[in-house]
Amino acid sequence: QELEEDAVPAASLGRTSSLHNVLGTSSPAHGDASPSKKKTGPALSGLDMLLQSGVAMRWNPGNVCPAIYGALQIGTKAGNNVSSHRVPVPNGLVCVLWVPDTLNEGTPLPTETEVERKSAIFNVGRMALLTNCFCSGNFEMFSKATEDTLTQPHVQAQFPFVSDICQAAMENGSQGAFACGYGPSCVALITGRSGDILAQSSYNELEQAVAKAMLDKADQLGVAGRIHIAKTADIGAHVLSQKSELSTVQGNDRIVYHQ
């Protein structure tokens, strides 16, 4: 089937904290990424159309792809279109996020910034190692895989406390810790959990140790914040439940439907 010129509808995407950002692999928004109007490819699915519409509005594919498809996504650009490719995420991963109470999100890197060859090679190698951690389920090299010569110095210059909070997390059992996107929030990754996040006492102790270490270090540095502990999401944004006003229409406002 041919892709018609008007096949990509307008859409409004809410800003989201993606797994891509959580892993500290922020990328600048692609430039002019208007959906291709060539009538050569197969018809796009609803989600794919949503992706092209979001990118056309110059939203960062690093946020849009995982927000739509979930898990860890690799966004690739071909012509004016962006496609998203899933990386398998093993079970048992837990994210311990430290979020400051008052600070705003850091400024991104300028899109026109030139990158030295050695920095580019370093980051490409770390991205390959990061992908291998998820595909193999072996996170022994995870702290190395999340090293970054481009974003990390930029974040550290804006928020000097980030490296100390991340170091505190790793010293207390996290496989790796890093800034979310351009900071100032930080995330520490813990592996090995099975079952419900609220019903694992042994891992609760590890998560609590990492969380308290991050909070204590932040307090020492004079940066108030709080901790959010959550599992990774395998699917993108979706409706968990819906409230119906059907009962009100039928004359009984004390009966509410949820589905």
Side-chain angles (χ1 to χ4, degrees), residues 73-92:
Q73 300 287 332
I74 298 176
T76 58
K77 186 178 181 182
N80 288 328
N81 283 344
V82 171
S83 59
S84 190
H85 310 273
R86 174 181 289 262
V87 175
V89 176
N91 293 326

Side-chain angles (χ1 to χ4, degrees), residues 6-87:
D6 59 352
V8 181
S12 176
L13 297 178
R15 191 173 184 84
T16 181
S17 174
S18 63
L19 182 58
H20 190 288
N21 253 5
V22 165
L23 292 175
T25 53
S26 297
S27 59
H30 292 248
D32 184 6
S34 300
S36 172
K37 296 182 179 180
K38 294 182 179 180
K39 300 181 180 182
T40 57
L44 297 177
S45 70
L47 291 180
D48 292 336
M49 292 168 64
L50 185 61
L51 170 60
Q52 304 311 320
S53 183
V55 173
M57 293 187 288
R58 303 197 178 193
W59 288 73
N60 188 344
N63 292 337
V64 177
C65 292
I68 294 175
Y69 302 103
L72 180 62
Q73 300 287 332
I74 298 176
T76 58
K77 186 178 181 182
N80 288 328
N81 283 344
V82 171
S83 59
S84 190
H85 310 273
R86 174 181 289 262
V87 175

